[in-house]
Amino acid sequence: MTDSTDEAGPECRQCGDPVGSSPEQRVITTVEDGTAVYKRFCDDDCRERWDTSA
């Protein structure tokens, strides 16, 4: 992954905080209707909370 230069970067799917280029961020990639969909998370804790709430 490359660093984003956008002012308004992606937000964590769980808590809504901005997801920076931290080594702790997590990204889940799926394909929906032939398009790659990226679900971004601040860290493992947010990803695990999202997994248990889904």
Side-chain angles (χ1 to χ4, degrees):
M1 296 182 78
T2 60
D3 290 340
S4 175
T5 58
D6 294 271
E7 289 286 327
E11 294 180 351
C12 176
R13 193 54 84 102
Q14 175 64 27
C15 70
D17 286 348
V19 176
S21 59
S22 164
E24 296 192 16
Q25 74 172 323
R26 298 294 177 252
V27 180
I28 298 174
T29 306
T30 59
V31 176
E32 297 177 11
D33 297 324
T35 303
V37 176
Y38 303 98
K39 296 175 177 124
R40 292 176 167 83
F41 302 92
C42 298
D43 54 28
D44 285 328
D45 291 337
C46 275
R47 184 186 175 280
E48 289 173 12
R49 283 192 299 259
W50 179 80
D51 276 343
T52 58
S53 69

